[in-house]
Amino acid sequence: MSSPSQRYAAFRRQQVEDGPALAAFQSLYDFRFDAFQREACQALHAGHGVLVAAPTGSGKTVVGEFAVHLAFEQGRKCFYTTPIKALSNQKYGDLVRRYGSDRVGLLTGDNSVNGEAPVVVMTTEVLRNMLYAGSSTLAGLGYVVLDEVHYLADRFRGAVWEEVIIHLPASVRVVALSATVSNAEEFGDWLSDVRGGTTVIVDEHRPVPLWQHMLADGRLYDMFVEPTQVNPDLLRLARREESAGRASPGRPQRGARRPPRLRPPSRPGIIERLDGAALLPAIVFIFSRAGCDAAVRQCLDAGLRLTTPEETRLITDVAQRRTADIPEADLPVLGYGEWLTGLQRGIAAHHAGLLPSFKEVVEELFEAGLVRVVYATETLALGINMPARTVVIERLDKWNGETHMALTPGEYTQLTGRAGRRGIDVEGHAVVLWQPGMDPSAVAGLAGTRTYPLNSSFRPSYNMAVNLVRQAGMERATAVLESSFAQFQADRAVAGLVRQAKRARASLEAEAVTCERGDFAGYWQLRQDLSRLENEAARQRTAARRAEAIASLGQLRRGDVIWVPGGRRAGTAIVLDPGVPGGRAEQGNGKGGRAGSEGHGDRGPHRGADRANLPLPVVLTAGRQVKRLSVADFPVPATVIDRVRIPTWFSPRSPKHRRDLAAAVQSKVAGLEEPARPKRTPQPESAGEQEIARLRAALRRHPCHACPDREAHVRKAEVRSRLEAEAGRLEAAVAGRSHVIARTFQRVCTVLTQLGYLDGDRVTPEGRRLGDLYTELDLLAAECVRRGLWDDLSPAELAACVSALTYESRNPDAAVGLPSGQVRGVLTAMVSIWEELDGVEKDNHLSFLREPDLGFTWVAHAWASGKPLEKVLGSDLTPGDFVRAVKQTIDLLGQVSVAAGPESPLRATARAATNALRRGVVAYSSVEDETDIEGASVGDFSVVEEP
């Protein structure tokens, strides 16, 4: 162990190595920087951009804060961007506490505070809009921090990060902070390409070690006994459960004990188990809002309390103070009583359905250690800094809107990254709850995987196109888009394909085929053409025979004795049900129909198609089995050889009835031979057959046909043909991936030109209006403004119409109520315009615009008309959903007011609509909501929470 003097000497050497700027910055913190933090700060101080990829909770933001420090030191500006408003507000608070409110600003779209300050915290979209608008606020900008830059994988919003990186002035240093991704070097190479020198720092070390567990059979098991060895006790549990599942469900045999099935513990029981092991506070991830709320109720019903009387008093004070502005009449509608009771006992839910104010209280109390358990959806993993000692994952699958999908390794790591509070916990814990059928090895593989590639989701939008063309012209705009990370990744993939294609072409040269008798290439082409025509003729003959067989089956009647020529049922059989689609027996309302319900269906290759569209006779075979035949049983048409009357009382379920009928059939056909296959009537030779005959003759006449080495040449030509096909496939793949972004951009510009938003390199006045509309349905909004569709609406009616462009129903099948009056006609016209634009997109091989969603229009109209909260909230609309949807509508109304122009009456209406909407819970709820991430997944940003 080093002496105090040695440690001081090392400290002084470190100060000299860091330099005065970093040493002064280090003095602001009460902990020593890790090696990756110091390396990143040193690179930034040396004038490099940096990309830092490190686990959640490792302290990446220190590097972003050093950019702020350098900006102050150098008299330059720094913009600190985040993907969500909640993170922007949190970082704003952190920087204000350090530097003072006069030196730090905030711009989130909802809020504008001191926007010309030397350091401004903002959402990434705000910076993108500044760049397109050429805002004067950009003057003097030296550093931009892109926190959570891995959001560029978001398929809805990811393009914003790439736009910012591409368009920032070259003099600006970018600090990109990312979760751990496996292709950080690739992303860093792209940053170096478009921004100049960028230092990539990857650190996979967690400052707080993470232990993985499984809670099963009432016991907390370590998942691993060695770094990569799964706990054998868990494997034994899995085998025991598998054995229990195989055991007979009936009464066990005498003396035999069936092993019990493992049952997941109750939610209150889980918390008691964690509390007993000193593993609280905990976040329990449940991928369902309803599940989170139900979990809190279950804990309350079980009498669970995790707080002392003094803590209860503090919790009550905070909750009442933070919600004091909410009118008394709204509290019952918001579920205030149950929410407060849960908080007082140290238990809370956290999801996007909660009122933003409620979520903020939960976050504040959890950070203070007063709330000990939070049941959360995975949106929390994307939200603000809210670590815990333990993270519990209730299930390893989640609802994606259509089905349950397994968690990816990246999602698992993001969720469990919350476990372990730096400076508080010596270790963090991740607990997976045992579920029936769980495979411990698979769970261990999920926990142990470290491959999370960052893939671009960039594509040019209509708004992006007009802004780019306005700034740079068409040619330069195309070049700018070619510099995107999406094209960079496509080009790298293409490089490998190009190498493969070149190798295939080189192999072709080595497989060149020559023949001393003549032109073997011509001979080979004749063989290829002949083979193609012969195969086509064979397919046609097969189709004709099938059509004949189907026609013959359609003529069968009940009681016909037929000869089944092929398949496993070959021999005589009597028709019980002709099985004609739409026929009486087929519909099951006759005695013959019962024979078809036995379930002995054909399992041949045509099973699905035959059952839907073809005659499928049900027969009694000579072996007294009731079977449903298929076309596969009839390589030739069905032949009726006799008839036998079937008694009306016949039941195919009766063995005696089947035996008697089979005997009657056997007696009837005794002595008859198998019917001869029908001879086909000679048909005139078709053009195809004539061409086949011509090619065969030409092949025999060709000099190479008589070559003694002909078959060896043919085998070599076959190899060459396969190589030719492979080279062609690879070259087609290269062509498909090359310049893919530019081709999409050209299609977008074609649409905009057809609609009058672009005229060559010139952006028309309508195009400039479109450039002010930053919304998913930008083109539809622009068309509504251009056509004056909204000009005569009242503020409440305009709010209803605009909401159709921002709202997306969680339950698309729910009944939709529409406002009364003229607004219904306008909404109908909006849908018609969308259909028109959708047609234009399809003509240009695009599909950007979704259909307007009318699910919020009645609510938006009612709220803007002054109706109380209790009248607008329904069973399918939570307070959080309501506030978020209203704020999204307000945001687009603000854009519409700008796009409408100063002389338009629509501008005044849009502002009036905004004022009408911004009241009550919308006005007093904090801006710290999750508007930007609702419905996002930690892995691919596409999850839909279960109702």
Side-chain angles (χ1 to χ4, degrees), residues 620-791:
L620 178 68
T621 68
R624 292 178 263 174
Q625 293 180 313
V626 175
K627 295 289 185 181
R628 185 182 291 277
L629 303 180
S630 79
V631 176
D633 295 313
F634 293 90
V636 296
T639 303
V640 178
I641 57 179
D642 214 323
R643 282 189 57 78
V644 171
R645 190 183 68 83
I646 301 176
T648 57
W649 40 260
F650 173 80
S651 171
R653 297 182 183 275
S654 168
K656 182 179 184 305
H657 290 186
R658 294 200 302 270
R659 184 173 60 249
D660 292 346
L661 183 57
V665 171
Q666 186 63 29
S667 174
K668 190 83 169 178
V669 302
L672 293 180
E673 297 181 358
E674 176 183 347
R677 296 201 172 196
K679 294 182 179 180
R680 300 192 65 195
T681 304
Q683 300 291 324
E685 196 174 52
S686 68
E689 290 170 332
Q690 293 172 4
E691 179 64 11
I692 288 173
R694 187 191 69 78
L695 287 174
R696 284 174 177 165
L699 198 68
R700 287 191 295 269
R701 290 195 304 269
H702 197 285
C704 292
H705 193 67
C707 176
D709 298 323
R710 182 188 68 194
E711 292 310 307
H713 294 336
V714 165
R715 286 192 293 273
K716 195 169 185 180
E718 287 173 340
V719 172
R720 179 180 173 82
S721 181
R722 287 194 296 270
L723 287 171
E724 180 76 46
E726 177 65 9
R729 184 188 66 79
L730 290 169
E731 288 163 354
V734 169
R737 296 192 187 187
S738 299
H739 309 291
V740 62
I741 301 298
R743 288 201 303 273
T744 303
F745 177 65
Q746 291 303 323
R747 294 191 190 111
V748 167
C749 290
T750 299
V751 169
L752 294 174
T753 300
Q754 289 177 2
L755 296 174
Y757 292 94
L758 290 179
D759 181 8
D761 266 10
R762 187 178 72 88
V763 177
T764 66
E766 290 80 9
R768 288 194 291 273
R769 177 184 293 124
L770 172 59
D772 291 326
L773 295 168
Y774 300 93
T775 180
E776 182 187 0
L777 298 182
D778 47 9
L779 188 57
L780 179 52
E783 283 293 297
C784 290
V785 174
R786 179 166 76 166
R787 300 186 191 197
L789 193 62
W790 297 336
D791 286 355

Side-chain angles (χ1 to χ4, degrees), residues 107 267 288 503:
L107 295 173
R267 284 162 170 164
S288 159
R503 285 197 295 268

Side-chain angles (χ1 to χ4, degrees), residues 794-800 802 860 863-865 886 889-890 893 906-919:
S794 69
E797 290 170 336
L798 179 61
V802 169
W863 185 249
S865 298
V886 172
T889 303
I890 289 173
L893 281 168
L906 181 58
R907 169 171 287 192
T909 307
R911 290 178 174 175
T914 297
N915 293 332
L917 290 172
R918 191 178 282 125
R919 66 179 183 87

Side-chain angles (χ1 to χ4, degrees), residues 213-327:
H213 310 277
M214 292 187 74
L215 183 58
D217 204 22
R219 176 182 163 191
L220 200 62
Y221 292 86
D222 289 337
M223 193 176 298
F224 301 98
V225 293
E226 296 292 339
T228 59
Q229 182 181 347
V230 182
N231 190 333
D233 290 340
L234 289 172
L235 298 176
R236 279 192 289 272
L237 279 179
R239 288 194 295 270
R240 190 184 95 184
E241 187 180 63
E242 184 181 2
S243 175
R246 287 198 305 264
S248 170
R251 180 176 297 177
Q253 297 179 359
R254 183 173 298 175
R257 292 187 60 194
R258 189 171 51 200
R261 300 296 298 266
L262 298 179
R263 295 183 178 179
S266 68
R267 284 162 170 164
I270 294 167
I271 303 307
E272 291 172 341
R273 180 72 183 79
L274 295 177
D275 194 22
L279 293 180
L280 296 183
I283 298 172
V284 183
F285 283 109
I286 302 175
F287 305 120
S288 159
R289 298 177 179 185
C292 293
D293 294 336
V296 173
R297 286 194 296 273
Q298 290 162 14
C299 291
L300 297 184
D301 292 344
L304 196 62
R305 178 178 287 277
L306 304 172
T307 55
T308 66
E310 175 60 20
E311 289 171 334
T312 299
R313 186 189 62 78
L314 291 173
I315 288 168
T316 305
D317 288 347
V318 171
Q320 290 178 344
R321 173 171 47 83
R322 293 292 301 274
T323 59
D325 292 334
I326 301 178

Side-chain angles (χ1 to χ4, degrees), residues 738-881:
S738 299
H739 309 291
V740 62
I741 301 298
R743 288 201 303 273
T744 303
F745 177 65
Q746 291 303 323
R747 294 191 190 111
V748 167
C749 290
T750 299
V751 169
L752 294 174
T753 300
Q754 289 177 2
L755 296 174
Y757 292 94
L758 290 179
D759 181 8
D761 266 10
R762 187 178 72 88
V763 177
T764 66
E766 290 80 9
R768 288 194 291 273
R769 177 184 293 124
L770 172 59
D772 291 326
L773 295 168
Y774 300 93
T775 180
E776 182 187 0
L777 298 182
D778 47 9
L779 188 57
L780 179 52
E783 283 293 297
C784 290
V785 174
R786 179 166 76 166
R787 300 186 191 197
L789 193 62
W790 297 336
D791 286 355
D792 298 326
L793 296 177
S794 69
E797 290 170 336
L798 179 61
C801 291
V802 169
S803 76
L805 304 184
T806 59
Y807 185 70
E808 289 192 71
S809 302
R810 288 172 54 80
N811 181 11
D813 297 327
V816 176
L818 298 179
S820 58
Q822 69 169 339
V823 70
R824 291 193 176 200
V826 174
L827 290 170
T828 301
M830 289 171 61
V831 174
S832 296
I833 294 173
W834 168 78
E835 291 172 343
E836 177 186 328
L837 296 177
D838 185 59
V840 175
E841 282 196 324
K842 283 184 170 63
D843 290 343
N844 289 278
H845 308 289
L846 295 173
S847 181
F848 287 1
L849 302 174
R850 63 169 176 83
E851 185 175 357
D853 190 325
L854 310 185
F856 195 70
T857 56
W858 183 90
V859 175
H861 185 274
W863 185 249
S865 298
K867 284 188 167 49
L869 184 64
E870 64 183 75
K871 297 294 185 183
V872 300
L873 284 186
S875 58
D876 291 334
L877 189 63
T878 66
D881 290 332

Side-chain angles (χ1 to χ4, degrees), residues 295-375:
V296 173
R297 286 194 296 273
Q298 290 162 14
C299 291
L300 297 184
D301 292 344
L304 196 62
R305 178 178 287 277
L306 304 172
T307 55
T308 66
E310 175 60 20
E311 289 171 334
T312 299
R313 186 189 62 78
L314 291 173
I315 288 168
T316 305
D317 288 347
V318 171
Q320 290 178 344
R321 173 171 47 83
R322 293 292 301 274
T323 59
D325 292 334
I326 301 178
E328 286 285 336
D330 286 350
L331 294 179
V333 183
L334 299 171
Y336 176 83
E338 184 176 70
W339 171 75
L340 180 59
T341 300
L343 291 177
Q344 290 168 334
R345 296 193 189 180
I347 306 162
H350 188 288
H351 55 71
L354 285 176
L355 191 71
S357 303
F358 285 12
K359 283 191 298 182
E360 292 162 21
V361 173
V362 171
E363 292 159 5
E364 180 180 336
L365 294 174
F366 190 80
E367 190 174 0
L370 295 172
V371 166
R372 315 296 305 288
V373 175
V374 169
Y375 291 98

